[in-house]
Amino acid sequence: MAKQTPRTLSGFMELLPAPQRQMERIMEILRETYSLYGFTPLDTPVIESSEVLLAKGGGETEKQIYRFQKGDADLSLRFDLTVPLAKYVALHYSDLTFPFRRFQIGKVYRGERAQRGRFREFYQADIDVIGDGKLSILNEAEIPAIIYRTFSALGLKRFRIRVNNRKILNGFYASLGLSDKAGDIMRTVDKLEKIGPEKVQTILTEDFAVSPEAAREIIGFISTGGGTEEVLSALESRRGPNETFDQGLDELKTVVRYLGAFGVPAENFNLDLTIARGLDYYTGTVYETVLLDHPEIGSVCSGGRYDNLAEYYTEKQLPGVGISIGLTRLFYVLGEQGMLNPELPTAPADVLILPMTEDLSAAIALATQLRDNGVRAQLHCEEKKFKQKISYADKLGIPYVIFLGEDEISAGVVACKDMATGEQTKLDAGATIYRIKAGLDARNKGFVIRE
Amino acid sequence: MAKQTPRTLSGFMELLPAPQRQMERIMEILRETYSLYGFTPLDTPVIESSEVLLAKGGGETEKQIYRFQKGDADLSLRFDLTVPLAKYVALHYSDLTFPFRRFQIGKVYRGERAQRGRFREFYQADIDVIGDGKLSILNEAEIPAIIYRTFSALGLKRFRIRVNNRKILNGFYASLGLSDKAGDIMRTVDKLEKIGPEKVQTILTEDFAVSPEAAREIIGFISTGGGTEEVLSALESRRGPNETFDQGLDELKTVVRYLGAFGVPAENFNLDLTIARGLDYYTGTVYETVLLDHPEIGSVCSGGRYDNLAEYYTEKQLPGVGISIGLTRLFYVLGEQGMLNPELPTAPADVLILPMTEDLSAAIALATQLRDNGVRAQLHCEEKKFKQKISYADKLGIPYVIFLGEDEISAGVVACKDMATGEQTKLDAGATIYRIKAGLDARNKGFVIRE
C-alpha cells in the first residue's frame, strides 16, 4: 500500500511526551493559582459564527482568521478568548452573577506567516473580572498579586510586573491639547527604549506635527523613571491638569497602596509610564510582565482595565479587567532558553513492575494495590529480555522498578529498585508503597521553571 | 451602535459556570485515573493537513468533516483522536519508547445533522497502548480494570463492561465457510436484541443468502448467554474449528482469569458474543460499557484491540488496544438524567470576604493568607448593599462568608459564617482557616455522578 508521509502543519506545536508533561504541569499551576482568586473555569467553542466573532469588524486580525463555509454556515475559528467571552457574557447575562470572574485556558487560531517561535494554533490563558455597570478599582489592584503568585508558583523569581494607567496618559495628552493625536503619540513613545529620545522627538514633530515644546514635554513626562514612590511623587507634582489625569493618579495610588497586603514584593513591581497596551480598548490600569534576564521576549503576561466588554452584542455596560498569558509561545521560549527544569519527573509511571512468574496474578494484584494508593504503576509483560525492560524504565525515567519472582511472592515481599541510586529494598507491599511515595514527594519538590 | 445578536452555534456545547465545574471535575478524574495506569498525556493539533488526516480515504465520516482552504493549504479539523495518534506515532516513531501508553482528552469535530444530544464539537477521552511489532495480551486484560476504576471514581456502580473477542467471531464464521460475509452477518446479529431472532434469521437468509442451517447455527451461537463461566464453557465445548477461534478463546480466558487480581467485581463484567464494534479495525478483544439503568444510551466507553494503527503512514507494524469515552455526549446524558450530583460544590470560591472598613489592608492581607493556605478566596469590594453581597455568595453557592470590621481587626479575630448552617464563629485567622478546610473536605466528599 502507498503510504502517506506523516507530518504536522508548520506553526502547530506538537510535543513529545516529556515536554508535554511539563506543559501539563504549567497548565495545572495556572488552573490552581487562578482558582485561588475565585475565578471559575470556562470553555467555549473553538468555532463561532463569523458574523458573531467578527462583529467588531475590520482590523489587522481579520486577514489572519481561519474562516470557511460548512453548508450554508459562515464559520470562523476563535482568534482570542476575549471576543468569545464578550459573546458568552452577553448571551448568558441573565444566568450569570456579577462580578463574574472566569479563567479560560484554550487554543486560539491565527494564520500568521509561519516563522520560528510563532504559532498558528496556540494556547492563551486568560482571566477576566466582569462587572455589571460598575467595577471596583480593587479588582485592578488585585491583578499584580495574581501575576506574582502565578509566576512564583511556576518557579520564576526574576520578573517584573510593569504597571501604568491609561487615564494618566489620556489626561496628560488632553492637557497638551493633543487628545486627537494620543494614539499616534503612544505608538511612537512606546519605542522610546529602542530608538532613543532624539528619534522619538523627530517622529513626533515631523510625522505628527507635534510642536517641539510639546514633544520635549512628552518625552520628559514619559521618561519619568525611578522607584514606585519616585514616579508617584513626580506624578503628584503634576496633579491638576484635568479630572482624567487626577483620577488615573488616584487609581494608580490605590493599586500601589495594597501591593504589600497582596504579598507582592517591591522588586517584582514597577510603574512605567511608557506602557499603553493597545489603543482603543483599555481605559484604566494596564499591565505588562517582563522576565528580567530575557527582555528580548517582551511581555509574557499583559492586560488591563476596559470599560465595555461586549459593546458589539449588548447595550449593557460591562466594564472589566483581565490579563492573558500567551502560553504556547512562553513554553517555546522557556524551552529554547533551557529554563524548563529537567529534574522534575516526566515519566508516565512511578513504578514499572516486572513479573518474573508465569502466573501474573500476584504482579497484577500488586499493581492494583499500588494504584489504590495513588501510585502510578505499569506492568511490563511484553516478550522482552530483562535488560530491555530495565532500559525501558531508564528511557522513560520511571523512578522505581519492582521485580516479583516466586521467592518474593512466597516470602510476602517486593524487590524494589530506585533507578537513580541503584538502592534495592525487599519490603512488604505496604512498606514499599510508603518508601516510593516518600521518594516521589522528594522528586516532585522542584519548580517547573528554573532560572 | 447596531448590535450583533450573540449566539452559540447549534451542536456546540457551551456550559454555564456550575455545570462547567462538574465537567472539569469529570476531566480531572479521567486524567488522574488514566495516569494511575502509566498513560502519559498527549495533545495534538485540532487542524491537520487534509491529505494526512484523510489518508485512509472514503467512508461515511468524510462528508461530516470540517474541511477548508487557507491560502494554498487544504486543511481539516480532526474528527477523532485515533487518526492523529496514528500520525503522531508514525511521525515521532524514533523518539518514542514502546509500548507507548498515552491518553488524550480533546475536542473533535463532525458536521452531523444537528439534533438534541448530538454534538458537532465534542470531547473524546481516549487511552491507547501501542506496541512495536508485538503487544502482550495483558494489555487487553487490563482494559476492564481501567474502565472499572474510571467509572467507579466518577461515582457509578450500576454499569457493566461487556467483552468479546473478534477472533472468536472470525474463527466461527470461517468454520461455516462464511468469512466473506462476516461483515454483513455481524452488522445483522448486532440487532438481535432489538429485532429478535426471527427477523435476524430472515435477513441472513434472504438478504445475504446464508443457508437456513447456517443462520440457525449463527443465532444459536450468538445467543450463548449466562455468566462468564457459562459462556466460557460453552465456547470451550466448541473449541477446535480452526486456529483463529482457539486463539480468541485463549485470549478471552486470559482476560477473564485476571479480572479478580485487577480488582474488577464479577457483577461489573460480562461476556457478550454479540459485540463486534466496527468491522475492519478491531482484531482481538472488544469492549463496550453500558449503564444498567440506562441501556437506551448505548455504550458509554468502547474500544478494542487492533493490529495495525498506522498502516496508512508507515510500514511498521504497530498493534495496539484502546478505548474511548464520548465525554460531551456522556455529560449531556448524565445531565438529562439528573445524575450529576448537585451537592458537590461548584462555587468559584470557598470564601467571600466582605471588608467593613475604609482601609482594605486587613481584608486583603487575610485574603492573601487564605490563598497561601490553599483556600480559594474572593474579596467583594463593590459598591453594593450588605444584603446584596450576601445574596451574591448565596447565588454562587460560596460556602463561607467572612466579615471583617474594625472590632474584629482590633480583636485579632475573623467573623466567619457557614452559609449552609448559618453558624457563625469568631476565631483568629489560623483557626478560621482550619475550620473552613475541614468543612470543605466534608463538602467535597461525594462523587460527581449519583445513581
Side-chain angles (χ1 to χ4, degrees), chain A residues 91-402:
Chain A
L91 178 59
H92 304 292
Y93 173 83
S94 57
D95 291 313
L96 299 176
T97 309
F98 294 90
F100 173 58
R101 300 163 77 90
R102 84 86 175 83
F103 75 85
Q104 183 165 6
I105 301 175
K107 286 179 171 178
V108 305
Y109 296 83
R110 293 186 197 172
E112 293 200 73
R113 205 166 60 78
Q115 50 179 312
R116 243 181 109 66
R118 285 278 160 195
F119 295 92
R120 292 171 170 172
E121 175 185 73
F122 57 98
Y123 278 98
Q124 286 192 333
D126 284 21
I127 55 171
D128 285 271
V129 185
I130 315 295
D132 185 9
K134 282 180 167 189
L135 189 69
S136 159
I137 179 69
L138 191 85
N139 296 288
E140 288 167 65
E142 195 174 45
I143 295 287
I146 304 173
I147 298 175
Y148 174 73
R149 191 185 292 269
T150 302
F151 281 90
S152 298
L154 291 172
L156 289 163
K157 286 181 196 72
R158 295 197 31 79
F159 64 91
R160 191 160 291 151
I161 304 157
R162 298 158 74 184
V163 168
N164 194 9
N165 190 300
R166 285 289 298 268
K167 292 196 182 82
I168 291 178
L169 297 184
N170 291 337
F172 173 72
Y173 293 121
S175 76
L176 297 176
L178 292 170
S179 285
D180 54 332
K181 295 178 179 172
D184 291 327
I185 297 172
M186 286 188 214
R187 256 190 298 266
T188 308
V189 300
D190 193 46
K191 301 173 195 151
L192 190 68
E193 260 183 67
K194 267 187 228 155
I195 64 176
E198 287 79 16
K199 282 222 172 122
V200 167
Q201 165 105 14
T202 311
I203 296 172
L204 288 180
T205 52
E206 293 184 4
D207 295 5
F208 302 119
V210 173
S211 75
E213 299 72 40
R216 267 194 299 277
E217 178 80 12
I218 291 167
I219 292 169
F221 174 73
I222 288 293
S223 314
T224 309
T228 301
E229 287 312 318
E230 286 167 85
V231 175
L232 279 186
S233 69
L235 288 172
E236 198 56 63
S237 73
R238 288 174 181 270
R239 184 183 283 275
N242 49 46
E243 213 178 303
T244 309
F245 184 97
D246 291 1
Q247 198 191 335
L249 178 52
D250 289 339
E251 290 179 0
L252 203 56
K253 289 174 85 171
T254 302
V255 171
V256 168
R257 175 179 179 190
Y258 291 124
L259 285 173
F262 273 125
V264 181
E267 66 262 34
N268 292 102
F269 182 87
N270 99 249
L271 296 181
D272 186 333
L273 298 180
T274 66
I275 293 172
R277 303 276 350 139
L279 298 176
D280 316 322
Y281 193 56
Y282 293 120
T283 53
T285 315
V286 285
Y287 316 87
E288 289 187 355
T289 313
V290 289
L291 306 184
L292 294 176
D293 301 323
H294 300 283
E296 73 283 2
I297 303 172
S299 175
V300 293
C301 178
S302 315
R305 152 89 190 204
Y306 43 87
D307 280 344
N308 224 338
L309 173 73
E311 58 179 322
Y312 300 98
Y313 307 115
T314 174
E315 297 290 346
K316 298 253 184 299
Q317 180 85 10
L318 300 168
V321 57
I323 49 171
S324 179
I325 297 177
L327 194 53
T328 300
R329 179 162 158 71
L330 176 61
F331 185 82
Y332 172 82
V333 168
L334 292 170
E336 289 286 296
Q337 301 286 346
M339 290 170 73
L340 294 168
N341 183 358
E343 280 164 28
L344 269 196
T346 57
D350 303 320
V351 180
L352 187 70
I353 301 175
L354 307 188
M356 320 291 263
T357 53
E358 185 82 14
D359 180 354
L360 301 172
S361 303
I364 293 170
L366 176 65
T368 303
Q369 191 181 350
L370 285 161
R371 292 160 180 163
D372 288 344
N373 284 279
V375 177
R376 302 176 304 147
Q378 181 187 340
L379 290 151
H380 195 317
C381 304
E382 307 305 314
E383 283 176 40
K384 297 272 179 185
K385 292 184 185 134
F386 183 76
K387 222 176 134 179
Q388 289 175 302
K389 293 186 178 184
I390 294 291
S391 146
Y392 180 86
D394 231 20
K395 277 188 197 156
L396 288 174
I398 299 175
Y400 295 96
V401 174
I402 284 179

